[in-house]
Amino acid sequence: MAPAAALNPVARRASQALRALEAVLGVAGAALLAVLLLLVMASVVLRYGFGTGWVGAEDAAIWLHVALIAVGAPLALHSTLALRLVGVRDRLPEWAQPLADGLADACVLLSALVIALGGSRMVGMIGGISPALGLPQWLRFALFAGSGVLMLALVLLRHLAQGRVWSLLCAAGLAVLAYGVGQWGHWPLDAPSSLVLAVFALLGLLVGAPLPHAFLAAAYLAIPWGSSLPEPALVHNVVTGMSRFLLLAIPFFLLAGVWLTQSGMAARLVRLSSALVGHWRGGLAQTTLLSSVLFSGASGSSVANAAFGTATFYPELVRHGYRPERAGAIVAATAVLDNVIPPSIAFLMLAAATQLSVGRLLVGGVLAGLVMAVMLGLAMRLTAPCATQAGAGGTRPRADGAQVRSAAVAAIPALGLGVIVVLGIRMGVVTTTEAAAVAACYTLLLGWGARLGWRGLYHGLRQAAGEAAAIGMLIGTAGPLAFALAVDGLSSQWVATLAQWGTHPAWVLLLICGLLLLLGLVLDTGAAILLLAPLLLPLAVQAGIDPVAFGVIVVVTLMIGGLTPPCGMLILVVSGLSGVPATAMFRAVWPYVLALLAALALLCAAALWLPPLF
């Protein structure tokens, strides 16, 4: 039977328009990221080469970052980083799944309406000129409003291209109705507005709406129930949340990871790992682990590592006798290290939320990542006999000295990336954002020497721009909930309630880890960091726990949630790329979850009984 697009002229034209619009947005995102990289690197060169600088460089970079998010956010609606909790939706009866899809679409449309119309209102309300740039302040909000219009256009075209006209009409009608309720409804409750917001956000997540849009739609729907953030202030809060210079490091680290993989440098890390540990028991799994440790020093993104591991190691693990679900579990478990070993996007988000030292967090991440890697290695060694159906789990002959030296020399350029980043930040030579830009340029030079080519250059820029926009949207849209929690005074109540259970550091750490493990079952790591870390930090400090040690423990604990049901993001990514059911992988990953919990216990013990190590 011919596809609907071949029979329906409207669907065919909509599909063509959709592809054209996505292509234009991809080019625009890649161009903005390239300009952003050039701007930051020019500032570094001017400062160290000529002893001068451009006063407006930081403001210009922030505005370009907002533009990058505005252009890339529509493309992220259906990407891996859309952060959809599909587990509940997939368990619904077949007749109920289209209803859930319609509600999720309505949530996205409502969020897009708020961005477009609320941003337009902010354009008319805000005045003033940027002293550094000489540009009107409303321009940032105009860019964000345009992003809402683009989202509406993409949702419309996608539904028409798929022939889902009635679904589109129902979702649009529901979104318009909800928007009207937010404009004219008024039913204040005695309950905190943050609780109402959280309930609406949870409902959006359960039907499969993207996490950032579930947050934003929920924040808007909380207005009639007593929220102190009207629509224009809501948009202002979101744009302000993503307008921080530190956050520019995220697209640069993502870009470094993409170019490192495309250039073939990541394959050199795999070769070195195989030469060092390939002869161990469960050698291929150990190679996967060590490659993840080395690759972590480049990408900073666990999702990127999971995608790389699925493409590189998953087929080999299966070919050497590992069951598909166990092979996928190994790839997902080792990908956890990317958001712990620097450069770590999770630590950047934590620093942005709590004002902790990025340099100290990154050094702490090195130590924590090594402890986690050792525990995972032990688990892979112990489970190797039962992990395979036949064979020795990909164990390879021991490499001789010449082979190890050859692999090490070939991998030195890629290994230098992590050293540049950590030492540059820790010694105060460059800021975190500048270190990320230097890392991106370093990998570009490596890739160009390895014949990355113009096509690889463009695809790297486009992929990193889309992923950075998705993360930027998450950071921005988490702001209203954090604001509501602060206004409602839940932060101090939270600390006071937990303090009633005891203030001994060991007990406080146990409570915090237990809470984070519980919430990690249903919350994305980035969202949990942004929402919970500022609430829990005062309690940790009050108990005498080193703030940086607390931050490291928070990230490690939440990263374990990336492997646990129902919404373990790393399991879902590997499942989507490999075709292995997520439920089977959740069962297979438990030995590695237990190993990571043992590593967490060791880190907590070090935080309690050893002086600050970083």
Side-chain angles (χ1 to χ4, degrees):
M1 182 177 177
L7 301 175
N8 187 338
V10 174
R12 185 168 60 252
R13 293 191 185 96
S15 180
Q16 294 169 349
L18 177 64
R19 288 195 297 271
L21 181 56
E22 288 178 337
V24 170
L25 291 176
V27 171
L32 284 168
L33 182 52
V35 172
L36 191 58
L37 180 60
L38 289 173
L39 175 62
V40 175
M41 284 304 301
S43 298
V44 175
V45 171
L46 286 174
R47 184 167 72 249
Y48 288 104
F50 301 94
T52 184
W54 174 32
V55 176
E58 184 171 322
D59 284 350
I62 290 172
W63 286 40
L64 283 170
H65 185 231
V66 173
L68 174 66
I69 296 172
V71 168
L75 294 175
L77 286 175
H78 295 276
S79 72
T80 304
L81 287 177
L83 304 177
R84 294 176 183 265
L85 178 58
V86 297
V88 175
R89 180 261 182 204
D90 291 343
R91 288 179 173 82
L92 293 174
E94 188 172 346
W95 62 267
Q97 291 181 4
L99 177 60
D101 293 340
L103 291 172
D105 290 336
C107 187
V108 172
L109 289 171
L110 174 59
S111 173
L113 284 173
V114 172
I115 293 172
L117 299 180
S120 299
R121 290 190 176 93
M122 277 303 303
V123 168
M125 294 172 61
I126 197 166
I129 301 293
S130 168
L133 300 177
L135 297 174
Q137 294 284 4
W138 55 259
L139 184 57
R140 281 184 302 157
F141 299 93
L143 291 170
F144 196 56
S147 181
V149 175
L150 291 171
M151 289 180 196
L152 292 171
L154 281 177
V155 172
L156 169 66
L157 290 174
R158 188 172 296 275
H159 277 74
L160 292 178
Q162 295 172 350
R164 299 168 57 202
V165 177
W166 283 109
S167 174
L168 172 64
L169 292 176
C170 292
L174 187 57
V176 171
L177 177 62
Y179 187 82
V181 168
Q183 289 291 309
W184 297 291
H186 185 66
W187 311 289
L189 296 175
D190 292 334
S193 61
S194 56
L195 179 60
V196 177
L197 195 162
V199 169
F200 279 125
L202 179 60
L203 293 175
L205 289 176
L206 291 177
V207 297
L211 182 58
H213 298 283
F215 274 162
L216 187 56
Y220 179 78
L221 288 174
I223 294 174
W225 307 94
S227 171
S228 56
L229 277 177
E231 185 187 30
L234 179 61
V235 173
H236 184 276
N237 188 286
V238 172
V239 175
T240 302
M242 60 179 65
S243 300
R244 285 176 281 185
F245 189 68
L246 174 63
L247 299 180
L248 271 65
I250 293 175
F252 296 150
F253 280 139
L254 291 170
L255 187 58
V258 173
W259 278 343
L260 194 75
T261 303
Q262 291 178 340
S263 66
M265 289 292 164
R268 299 188 185 185
L269 297 177
V270 174
R271 180 186 166 201
L272 173 60
S273 302
S274 180
L276 292 174
V277 301
H279 59 281
W280 290 5
R281 182 174 174 180
L284 190 53
Q286 303 286 0
T287 300
T288 305
L289 173 61
L290 185 56
S291 298
S292 185
V293 171
L294 299 178
F295 190 65
S296 297
S299 73
S301 165
S302 286
V303 171
N305 196 337
F308 168 73
T310 305
T312 305
F313 293 110
Y314 173 80
E316 288 297 307
L317 287 164
V318 173
R319 190 166 67 85
H320 283 86
Y322 283 84
R323 296 191 302 273
E325 63 272 19
R326 179 56 61 87
I330 289 172
V331 170
T334 57
V336 165
L337 299 174
D338 254 78
N339 260 340
V340 178
I341 297 175
S344 162
I345 291 173
F347 281 134
L348 295 179
M349 297 174 73
L350 178 66
T354 61
Q355 307 305 314
L356 292 175
S357 165
V358 177
R360 290 187 64 203
L361 285 171
L362 293 182
V363 173
V366 172
L367 298 177
L370 293 177
V371 173
M372 296 166 71
V374 168
M375 299 308 295
L376 281 173
L378 290 174
M380 290 174 183
R381 182 178 180 86
L382 292 173
T383 58
C386 62
T388 59
Q389 297 169 338
T395 301
R396 300 180 180 184
R398 181 188 294 270
D400 59 32
Q403 291 173 321
V404 173
R405 285 192 296 273
S406 173
V409 170
I412 284 175
L415 293 173
L417 182 59
V419 176
I420 290 172
V421 171
V422 175
L423 290 183
I425 295 173
R426 194 70 178 97
M427 297 177 65
V429 178
V430 288
T431 67
T432 304
T433 297
E434 291 170 345
V438 171
C441 289
Y442 179 80
T443 54
L444 174 60
L445 293 176
L446 293 181
W448 207 259
R451 300 175 183 175
L452 178 67
W454 292 106
R455 183 180 296 273
L457 176 70
Y458 166 72
H459 284 302
L461 286 166
R462 174 171 176 164
Q463 180 180 334
E467 293 175 349
I471 296 173
M473 275 292 293
L474 174 61
I475 293 172
T477 55
L481 179 53
F483 178 85
L485 290 170
V487 170
D488 292 340
L490 292 186
S491 176
S492 57
Q493 295 176 27
W494 191 303
V495 171
T497 301
L498 289 178
Q500 291 177 0
W501 291 72
T503 57
H504 190 279
W507 180 241
V508 170
L509 271 184
L510 181 62
L511 284 175
I512 289 175
C513 290
L515 178 66
L516 293 177
L517 287 172
L518 182 63
L519 294 177
L521 298 175
V522 294
L523 272 182
D524 169 71
T525 299
I529 288 173
L530 296 169
L531 297 176
L532 299 176
L535 298 180
L536 296 174
L537 179 60
L539 179 63
V541 172
Q542 179 181 318
I545 301 168
D546 179 67
V548 174
F550 159 80
V552 171
I553 289 170
V554 165
V555 170
V556 170
T557 307
L558 290 174
M559 285 310 302
I560 296 174
L563 303 175
T564 54
C567 62
M569 178 55 61
L570 298 178
I571 292 290
L572 296 180
V573 169
V574 176
S575 173
L577 294 174
S578 66
V580 179
T583 51
M585 288 177 56
F586 279 129
R587 290 192 296 269
V589 81
W590 278 110
Y592 313 120
V593 171
L594 293 176
L596 292 172
L597 289 174
L600 176 62
L602 291 175
L603 293 172
C604 289
L608 291 172
W609 294 303
L610 294 178
L613 301 177
F614 26 83

